[in-house]
Amino acid sequence: MAKFDSQDHQHLRYNPLRDDWVLVCPHRMKRPWAGHVEKPEEEQIPRHDPKNPLCPGNTRPNGKVNPDYESTFLFTNDFPALLEEGPAPEESSDPLFRCAEARGTCKVMCFHPWSDITLPLMSLPEIRVVIDKLAEINIDLGKKYTWVQIFENRGAIMGCSNPHPHCQVWASSYLSNEPSIKHRTQREYHLKHNSNMLLDYVNRELQKKERVILENEHWVWLVPYWAVWPYETILLPKAHVLRIEDLTESQKDALADITKRLLTKYDNLFEVSFPYSMGWVGAPTGKYLSEDCNFWQLHAVYYPPLLRSAKVKKFMVGYEMLATAQRDLTAEQAAEKLKGLPEEHYKNRKSDSS
Ligand code: H2U
């Protein structure tokens, strides 16, 4: 029988952060990936749309008027999933019908006054302002709430309802499912190995190199060994950082740099504003601020749905819903593909040559 080759033969990979497995089936990729590109029409977004509720100076459907903001703009979501106040359910000891109180708040943050710009096309100082604001929000909401989830849904395919560049922040009184798993796995790893899981991981990846796409003085962008989505990536600091607000000035500058570079590569992959859900994950807040959370490491995750082109997405259905997540393209192949892409944004290249 042929010798096992991870780029050729089916296998399972373990995700130590989520304590689960992914099935990798590279033999289904027999034909070489030739970058079949179906280009969609480039969406024409006006810089300022008087009807867009996220634009500066506009009146939102609930009658609130946005300021004439010139940089970022933070406001409380007009349709929040989580409310600060409200009646709480009665506690029940029934194991089959458990219920718990949920309180929180939801914010929206616009990155820029223009609707026709995205993070990779923004300047480094503009991206840096966004990072500073996210750190402030985490401090502010973290005083009261256990979990502050900063996330960005980009693209209609990811459920984003508005093309204006923005992210959301949901803060909750409870530790949500995903961070709760990561809290347990990082703590257990620390207890067992007396070191930090993601710091060990990033150092091993820097030695191996095969999944690293980009790095700078303070950050590493890579396709994790256990990635599920075709071009899923993780952004990790090289040093130990618990929360976004703990980043130093130079780590934040470097974060602006790598954010612009990585999002440019993503956009260049299929020459489209690359859709994804991304989010920041660091040590929990609220009552955890006074606990030892040193086993945590701040990281950002990017989950993009596209598989083969700007129009062909991966569906997490069937076997994946019922059994185990599965991928064909290996993490190493995805990293190689992203690594080979230019760092100049395709939109800038086009405008240079026209
Ligand atoms: P998404 O595009 O990722 O869905 O985020 C937009 C958010 O903005 C969404 O949660 C809020 C929506 O509730 N929003 C307002 O709060 N006010 C508005 O007038 C429009 C949209």
Side-chain angles (χ1 to χ4, degrees):
M1 209 188 295
K3 197 169 170 288
F4 173 75
D5 177 349
S6 64
Q7 303 310 304
D8 230 3
H9 301 123
Q10 68 203 25
H11 58 286
L12 292 162
R13 291 190 186 192
Y14 181 64
N15 179 344
L17 250 188
R18 296 198 67 253
D19 186 20
D20 67 5
W21 296 82
V22 55
L23 173 63
V24 185
C25 307
H27 55 283
R28 297 219 310 187
M29 294 283 300
K30 277 290 176 233
R31 64 207 149 92
W33 191 85
H36 167 63
V37 177
E38 292 166 62
K39 285 217 191 107
E41 283 286 304
E42 196 74 56
E43 211 187 333
Q44 291 304 321
I45 300 162
R47 184 155 291 181
H48 181 93
D49 176 353
K51 293 205 185 82
N52 188 328
L54 300 190
C55 285
N58 287 356
T59 304
R60 306 207 293 275
N62 64 354
K64 291 197 175 142
V65 182
N66 296 338
D68 271 323
Y69 64 93
E70 290 178 351
S71 172
T72 58
F73 168 47
L74 178 73
F75 65 97
T76 301
N77 199 311
D78 300 317
F79 311 98
L82 288 160
L83 298 167
E84 306 226 45
E85 300 300 335
E90 254 180 55
E91 282 190 19
S92 148
S93 56
D94 188 329
L96 295 179
F97 297 91
R98 284 179 67 185
C99 185
E101 181 184 32
R103 291 187 194 282
T105 186
C106 300
K107 307 273 179 190
V108 179
M109 184 172 83
C110 299
F111 297 148
H112 197 281
W114 298 353
S115 293
D116 61 343
I117 200 166
T118 54
L119 277 172
L121 294 165
M122 283 165 54
S123 69
L124 290 178
E126 287 170 339
I127 299 172
R128 179 55 214 267
V129 171
V130 171
I131 295 164
D132 285 331
K133 282 283 160 196
L134 293 178
E136 271 174 38
I137 296 168
N138 213 59
I139 293 177
D140 188 33
L141 297 177
K143 285 179 197 149
K144 182 167 177 186
Y145 292 109
T146 301
W147 188 247
V148 181
Q149 185 59 63
I150 296 166
F151 65 99
E152 181 191 358
N153 292 327
R154 205 211 292 185
I157 200 173
M158 291 311 286
C160 181
S161 60
N162 194 307
H164 195 95
H166 68 281
C167 70
Q168 297 195 48
V169 186
W170 292 19
S172 60
S173 56
Y174 55 89
L175 189 57
S176 313
N177 290 344
E178 290 287 313
S180 175
I181 295 168
K182 292 180 175 185
H183 192 76
R184 175 177 63 79
T185 55
Q186 288 176 103
R187 193 176 52 195
E188 286 172 0
Y189 182 95
H190 189 263
L191 281 172
K192 192 164 175 192
H193 303 281
N194 200 25
S195 58
N196 183 288
M197 179 201 281
L198 287 179
L199 264 180
D200 284 357
Y201 179 64
V202 82
N203 287 328
R204 296 282 300 282
E205 287 288 17
L206 282 170
Q207 283 161 6
K208 288 178 180 283
K209 297 250 183 289
E210 55 195 326
R211 282 168 296 274
V212 173
I213 312 162
L214 283 176
E215 64 173 300
N216 64 18
E217 191 190 349
H218 294 294
W219 295 88
V220 185
W221 185 47
L222 59 95
V223 179
Y225 177 72
W226 51 79
V228 165
W229 293 94
Y231 292 97
E232 173 179 334
T233 57
I234 187 166
L235 179 59
L236 287 159
K238 289 183 178 174
H240 186 208
V241 182
L242 288 191
R243 303 181 177 91
I244 194 165
E245 61 267 34
D246 300 328
L247 293 171
T248 62
E249 294 298 301
S250 82
Q251 284 171 325
K252 286 195 244 178
D253 284 343
L255 177 56
D257 165 76
I258 204 156
T259 299
K260 187 172 169 75
R261 292 166 66 200
L262 81 86
L263 292 178
T264 298
K265 276 189 180 277
Y266 263 161
D267 282 5
N268 284 342
L269 182 58
F270 300 128
E271 298 208 343
V272 67
S273 185
F274 204 61
Y276 54 73
S277 268
M278 72 79 61
W280 281 99
V281 190
T285 49
K287 69 178 166 94
Y288 290 95
L289 290 171
S290 54
E291 287 186 15
D292 179 6
C293 288
N294 273 321
F295 49 87
W296 263 95
Q297 171 73 327
L298 176 72
H299 57 285
V301 288
Y302 285 85
Y303 298 132
L306 296 183
L307 175 62
R308 247 178 232 297
S309 74
K311 285 186 178 162
V312 180
K313 80 179 276 279
K314 175 182 176 65
F315 290 95
M316 284 280 196
V317 295
Y319 185 82
E320 294 166 320
M321 284 179 117
L322 292 154
T324 295
Q326 182 271 337
R327 63 182 293 140
D328 297 345
L329 182 77
T330 65
E332 297 71 36
Q333 288 163 343
E336 200 55 40
K337 184 81 197 160
L338 290 166
K339 210 174 351 181
L341 293 168
E343 288 195 30
E344 188 186 6
H345 198 280
Y346 74 94
K347 283 191 178 170
N348 291 339
R349 262 181 283 142
K350 275 183 187 150
S351 58
D352 286 353
S353 56
S354 58

